[in-house]
């Protein structure tokens, strides 16, 4: 089957060199803006969300593809998967999604890289098979609203995805009171209550953002990047333009997710993984390392489950 939205050879080469690609269109801009109006109500409705929150934090945005139908379909959108398959191969899991709102006045997200995603929990969340060069996950960040320099668009440092400058096993202290208080070079920049600089392998190292690129995007567009790429975002300095990004994270089926644990312990909360599962978004899961969900919490069957039923 030919893939309508697959990378060209040139795009793939550029992705391998730079660690990111895009922006590309996932939705028509007006369609996304209409969808956003409905989504806002669904985001506030946690009646089917798979995690019980102890208090408000970044965790409120975790894994809503498991209860909001729009996001359940979004993670399987051909515009996105045709390209992700070109990077990771045909057998793919979506293991995490996150919403990243930035309200007017909010700090930017500080520079960071994620390989095991253990930075906040202290335990690796993503474990690749031994002897693979890769780590991390392919991140697809979709602009639910327009995102530009004024309201906090993403920034990348091209070509930095193959060397980790952070040690995710180092301790970081969660201090929610420092949200919107940290400054770097006179700019509000933090990590949702953590100070990501605490993880630096070399405490005196300073990220060189002279060649950083700003990913200005229209609502409905997405960018693809390795989670190990140096990435950040600008603060939202607008007076009235909230920025919302939705990140979906993909790995091949050979990867183990949350090995040996049944809780996520980060951002000051413990979340039970009782209702959690990965979603097979494409191909076959020959490894069966991870508990897999066939339906979201409202009963919507993930498309691959439907395909399997049809061919069974
Ligand atoms: O949207 C942001 O500010 C940060 C996004 C991010 O770090 C990610 O998608 O991994
Ligand atoms: Fe990130």
């Amino acid at each position: 089957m030919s893939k309508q939205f697959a990378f060209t050879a040139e795009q793939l080469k550029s992705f391998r060199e730079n660690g990111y690609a895009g922006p590309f269109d996932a939705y028509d801009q007006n369609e996304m803006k209409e969808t956003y109006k409905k989504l806002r109500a669904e985001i506030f409705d946690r009646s089917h969300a798979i995690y019980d929150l102890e208090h408000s934090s970044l965790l409120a945005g975790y894994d809503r593809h498991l209860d909001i139908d729009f996001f359940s379909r979004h993670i399987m959108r051909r515009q996105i998967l045709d390209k992700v398959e070109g990077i990771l191969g045909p057998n793919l899991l979506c293991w995490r999604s996150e919403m990243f709102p930035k309200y007017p006045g909010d700090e930017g997200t500080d520079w960071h890289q994620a390989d095991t995603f253990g930075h906040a929990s202290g335990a690796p969340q993503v474990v690749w098979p031994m002897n693979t060069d890769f780590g991390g996950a392919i991140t697809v960040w979709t602009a639910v609203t327009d995102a530009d320099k004024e309201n906090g668009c993403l920034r990348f440092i091209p070509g930095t995805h193959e060397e980790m400058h952070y040690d995710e096993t180092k301790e970081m202290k969660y201090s929610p009171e420092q949200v919107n208080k940290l400054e770097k070079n006179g700019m509000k920049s933090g990590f949702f209550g953590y100070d990501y600089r605490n993880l630096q392998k070399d405490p005196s190292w300073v990220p060189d953002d002279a060649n950083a690129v700003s990913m200005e995007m229209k609502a409905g567009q997405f960018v693809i990047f390795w989670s190990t790429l140096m990435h950040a975002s600008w603060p939202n300095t607008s007076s009235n333009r909230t920025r919302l990004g939705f990140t979906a994270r993909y790995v091949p089926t050979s990867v183990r997710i949350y090995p040996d644990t049944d809780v996520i312990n980060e951002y000051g909360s413990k979340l039970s993984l009782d209702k959690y599962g990965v979603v097979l978004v494409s191909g076959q899961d020959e490894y069966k390392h991870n508990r897999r969900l066939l339906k979201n919490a409202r009963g919507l069957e993930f498309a691959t489950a439907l395909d399997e039923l049809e061919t069974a």
Side-chain angles (χ1 to χ4, degrees), residues 107 177-183 188:
E107 65 189 8
E177 66 284 354
Q178 70 185 6
V179 172
N180 286 333
K181 299 283 183 331
L182 294 179
E183 290 217 358
K188 279 163 81 172

Side-chain angles (χ1 to χ4, degrees), residues 18 24 76 92 102 109 128 131 157 175-176 190 192 194 218 223 249 257 290 298 311:
N18 293 312
F24 304 106
M76 295 180 294
L92 290 182
K102 292 236 177 269
T109 306
W128 286 63
N131 308 322
I157 307 181
S175 313
F192 315 102
Y194 291 100
K218 292 287 176 202
V223 286
R249 306 195 190 278
I257 303 301
N290 305 293
R298 292 177 188 270
T311 53

Side-chain angles (χ1 to χ4, degrees), residues 100 102 109 112 139 141 154 192 225 231-233 243 247 249:
F100 287 104
K102 292 236 177 269
T109 306
H112 64 286
T139 296
W141 194 102
L154 284 181
F192 315 102
F225 60 100
H231 61 286
S233 63
R243 180 219 79 168
T247 278
R249 306 195 190 278

